[in-house]
Amino acid sequence: EEQKRLLENRPDQPQNPKVLRIAIIGAPNAGKSTLSNQLLGRKVFPVSKKVHTTRCKAQGVITHEDTQLIILDTPGLTNPLKARRHNLDETMLTDPWDSMKHADLVLVLVDVSDHWTRNSLSKEVLKCLSQFPHIPSVLVLNKVDILKKKFLLLEIVADLTEGIVNGKKLKVKSAFKQDSSSSAKSPLQITQASPPESKVPGGQEKDQAQEGSGLDKSSDVGGAGTGEARGPKHCGHEDLKDMKGWPHFQEIFMLAALRGEEVDTLKRYLLMQAKPGPWEFHSDVLTNQSPQEICDNIIREKVLEYLPLEVPYGVTQVTDIWEEGECGELLIVQSLLVPRESHKRMLIGRGGKVISRIAREAGQDLMNAFLCDVRLKLKVEVKG
């Protein structure tokens, strides 16, 4: 009831409100929801090692002093063939594009631990960026803590940016000394190639980042990066064929979203990019999802985690009971409907171990999300 009231009421406005709508796009499983949760400071989006955990576009809201950041956590960009294989809704294909239409800034998230995909942006991501070239974009390299050979980051950056950041050519030089096995924090620690008029949060951090990055800004490219910079042109399908990266990123960030490393640096940057404009949500709102949607997402996350291969994508969730007790505790009973008897046996597990673990872990996440006691009961049935 409280969440409904906050979403329906007009937001409280400070005297000079600022707002920024941020679309986070990337390949499935790049870590978009993990990053969104870290920026919000609480888990409201489902996270799993399996692809397509996020099934619809949901919004997270960060309110800091006079500024509101609205994070559009979108499904991973995919194609119709993969959508059919994973039994995905049509909206999984359209939601990321809809989010882009409403964004003031786009974060492109790349998983650098995946050596198959880290040196080029997927065709879906490039298509998305080329459709909305007027929206400023920022490259975010995730999971840098997993990358053992840190010098590879220079190569990855050169590929993903086509050697150009903020209209400046990047000149690669070795700045790593013997530190190739250092932690996630070393190379490109903060950002590269800041626009002349913007300041990087934290004072001296920009110089330190530039020093440790191994990337130099060189000459301007076609007048970009200056006051009269012309925006990137719309790219056709033919142009995209030969592109591995996007030469119009304004900044580069490197972080480890799961561990929270450098997430605050990105958050400070986003707060600084906000423009004057009315808030869309009350300052107490953390997400536009209903409690039931959060509950469904968290349970589905666990089902995805503990069932093999394609099995979890066929599970349907039905909430039978949702009751608030006298002391504020929440009783939730949910039925998980599966298409086959064999799937039911898998989901229950030997001696009920799998379903018990899912209920226990989902219940704990729900307590952390709702900040109250939660009693969660799960039943498994074959679809009638």
Side-chain angles (χ1 to χ4, degrees):
E1 288 303 315
E2 174 70 2
Q3 172 77 343
K4 199 174 168 190
R5 189 179 61 77
L6 287 172
L7 289 172
E8 284 174 356
N9 284 2
R10 285 180 62 185
D12 46 343
Q13 298 281 348
Q15 204 163 7
N16 299 301
K18 289 188 283 186
V19 70
L20 186 74
R21 296 175 63 85
I22 306 144
I24 304 181
I25 67 167
N29 226 24
K32 297 179 292 296
S33 296
T34 301
L35 177 58
S36 299
N37 288 334
Q38 288 283 9
L39 286 166
L40 289 164
R42 203 170 340 147
K43 183 173 178 176
V44 293
F45 298 119
V47 177
S48 162
K49 292 188 187 78
K50 284 205 173 69
V51 294
H52 305 306
T53 310
T54 300
R55 291 296 185 103
C56 60
K57 64 172 188 275
Q59 296 179 354
V61 184
I62 298 165
T63 304
H64 179 75
E65 295 173 356
D66 61 354
T67 304
Q68 194 163 82
L69 303 179
I70 299 165
I71 298 169
L72 313 168
D73 183 48
T74 58
L77 283 156
T78 190
N79 59 44
L81 184 70
K82 288 177 184 167
R84 280 199 300 276
R85 192 170 76 206
H86 287 100
N87 193 27
L88 304 178
D89 201 277
E90 182 67 28
T91 55
M92 292 281 284
L93 296 170
T94 57
D95 277 355
W97 296 81
D98 288 344
S99 293
M100 286 289 286
K101 284 178 198 163
H102 301 110
D104 305 310
L105 180 77
V106 57
L107 299 184
V108 178
L109 201 63
V110 174
D111 173 2
V112 296
S113 72
D114 187 340
H115 67 278
W116 296 107
T117 60
R118 67 190 176 202
N119 286 90
S120 61
L121 296 173
S122 73
K123 285 288 170 267
E124 281 83 17
V125 168
L126 282 171
K127 212 185 291 179
C128 212
L129 289 169
S130 69
Q131 286 287 102
F132 303 93
H134 56 286
I135 301 174
S137 55
V138 169
L139 176 64
V140 179
L141 302 185
N142 190 24
K143 309 186 189 178
V144 293
D145 54 322
I146 299 172
L147 198 65
K148 297 238 177 355
K149 298 172 179 170
K150 294 293 186 271
F151 64 85
L152 288 173
L153 287 167
L154 299 177
E155 189 188 299
I156 292 167
V157 166
D159 286 340
L160 296 180
T161 62
E162 302 267 315
I164 298 167
V165 177
N166 196 35
K168 308 254 184 192
K169 270 189 181 173
L170 298 175
K171 216 161 60 178
V172 177
K173 62 175 184 179
S174 179
F176 287 88
K177 307 186 177 76
Q178 292 86 34
D179 202 16
S180 63
S181 63
S182 61
S183 79
K185 291 180 139 185
S186 53
L188 285 154
Q189 183 181 352
I190 313 294
T191 61
Q192 291 358 288
S194 297
E197 63 278 356
S198 78
K199 292 189 182 75
V200 172
Q204 307 156 341
E205 289 176 336
K206 180 185 159 194
D207 298 331
Q208 292 163 359
Q210 206 68 43
E211 204 176 291
S213 69
L215 296 181
D216 264 355
K217 287 182 293 173
S218 185
S219 54
D220 284 358
V221 180
T226 65
E228 300 93 41
R230 289 190 299 273
K233 293 192 186 81
H234 190 289
C235 300
H237 288 304
E238 285 305 305
D239 303 318
L240 295 178
K241 252 195 336 199
D242 305 319
M243 287 173 72
K244 284 172 75 175
W246 182 246
H248 307 294
F249 288 121
Q250 292 198 346
E251 302 280 354
I252 304 166
F253 287 85
M254 297 201 171
L255 46 81
L258 193 60
R259 290 162 57 167
E261 283 187 21
E262 297 303 318
V263 172
D264 274 350
T265 305
L266 175 60
K267 190 171 175 177
R268 287 201 302 275
Y269 170 80
L270 295 173
L271 287 165
M272 287 179 63
Q273 301 310 303
K275 300 283 187 289
W279 284 2
E280 291 186 33
F281 295 97
H282 190 280
S283 55
D284 288 339
V285 169
L286 198 64
T287 176
N288 68 335
Q289 301 171 91
S290 70
Q292 285 90 342
E293 285 171 322
I294 294 172
C295 174
D296 284 353
N297 284 337
I298 285 175
I299 293 169
R300 192 179 69 252
E301 167 197 311
K302 305 302 176 192
V303 171
L304 281 166
E305 201 65 36
Y306 295 120
L307 285 188
L309 301 172
E310 307 291 309
V311 174
Y313 297 101
V315 176
T316 304
Q317 295 164 260
V318 178
T319 301
D320 303 316
I321 297 173
W322 182 288
E323 287 177 3
E324 286 183 57
E326 288 175 18
C327 304
E329 76 279 11
L330 193 55
L331 170 64
I332 303 167
V333 178
Q334 190 168 98
S335 295
L336 304 176
L337 309 179
V338 294
R340 296 192 186 96
E341 192 65 42
S342 58
H343 292 181
K344 179 180 176 179
R345 286 197 297 273
M346 272 188 237
L347 186 46
I348 292 172
R350 187 175 291 173
K353 275 187 181 168
V354 175
I355 197 68
S356 298
R357 186 174 185 182
I358 290 170
R360 186 172 64 250
E361 291 185 13
Q364 188 57 56
D365 279 356
L366 289 168
M367 281 196 254
N368 296 339
F370 298 148
L371 304 179
C372 71
D373 283 333
V374 174
R375 285 167 56 215
L376 174 65
K377 294 180 181 176
L378 298 177
K379 299 186 292 186
V380 185
E381 296 169 12
V382 178
K383 288 176 187 172

